[in-house]
Amino acid sequence: MSGPGPDSRFDAFKLAARALSVSGSVDARCLPNVADSLAPGDDPAPIAWTVEGGASAEGRPAISIGIEGVVPLVCQRCLARLDWPVSQRTEVLLAHDEGELERLDAETEGEVVLADQQLDAAAMVEDELVLPLPFAAGQIYASTLSFCTKNILRRFRRPMRIIPSMTG
């Protein structure tokens, strides 16, 4: 799947009752709530997704939404591109109507979705992708810290003046 469309719709209760799954791939750049968070560019940012039907630990109909991929972000420290790995899995309980949705939402701390009609996998994947993205991405790992610092130092004429502000 290259973006939202009719082929991304599925019957969640049927999936849960038969323990079936659907899967595909979507370009994160095509998801409106994610696209603005990504680093500039035309290169695709494919996100593999899987929706698996089944039952919750309490025996209620549920689906599990899983996403895997890498999205390009901008490091807020050095402004270089940062490839951010994404791996997320969420169990979602299914409700037949508004009343059941409210009851399940009050009874459980987990996610609940109204599944009185077919659900859109692309919209659910977009919701799941927004969650693990950082508000301000940064290269925080020791192996990339020197890269990040070098990029910062290159941007300043007198790099020694900014070192105290980076360490303190």
Side-chain angles (χ1 to χ4, degrees):
M1 177 177 82
S2 59
D7 62 335
S8 71
R9 302 189 73 71
F10 64 94
D11 182 330
F13 280 106
K14 182 178 177 181
L15 221 61
R18 298 183 181 163
L20 299 174
S21 67
V22 292
S23 60
S25 179
V26 63
D27 184 352
R29 293 191 186 282
C30 295
L31 303 173
N33 293 324
V34 176
D36 289 344
S37 301
L38 303 180
D42 294 331
D43 57 320
I47 301 296
W49 60 266
T50 303
V51 179
E52 298 171 336
S56 69
E58 298 82 24
R60 295 185 176 114
I63 56 174
S64 176
I65 306 161
I67 60 171
E68 297 278 336
V70 176
V71 292
L73 302 178
V74 175
C75 174
Q76 296 303 302
R77 185 170 177 201
C78 70
L79 302 178
R81 178 186 165 125
L82 169 65
D83 289 328
W84 190 267
V86 175
S87 180
Q88 176 89 7
R89 181 162 296 280
T90 304
E91 182 181 69
V92 179
L93 299 179
L94 305 176
H96 288 95
D97 54 42
E98 291 286 341
E100 185 179 24
L101 177 71
E102 288 180 25
R103 184 179 55 78
L104 288 173
D105 200 33
E107 290 175 3
T108 182
E109 291 187 25
E111 298 294 320
V112 184
V113 67
L114 179 61
D116 61 344
Q117 56 189 351
Q118 288 193 336
L119 299 179
D120 183 5
M124 298 184 89
V125 167
E126 182 173 26
D127 290 345
E128 290 302 308
L129 186 53
V130 168
L131 295 173
L133 293 183
F135 178 72
Q139 300 188 51
I140 58 174
Y141 303 107
S143 62
T144 59
L145 187 57
S146 62
F147 169 78
C148 193
T149 304
K150 286 177 188 173
N151 278 339
I152 291 171
L153 295 177
R154 265 190 238 131
R155 295 183 193 281
F156 292 93
R157 189 164 238 211
R158 294 182 165 173
M160 298 311 283
R161 286 187 175 183
I162 67 162
I163 291 178
S165 67
M166 291 174 27
T167 60

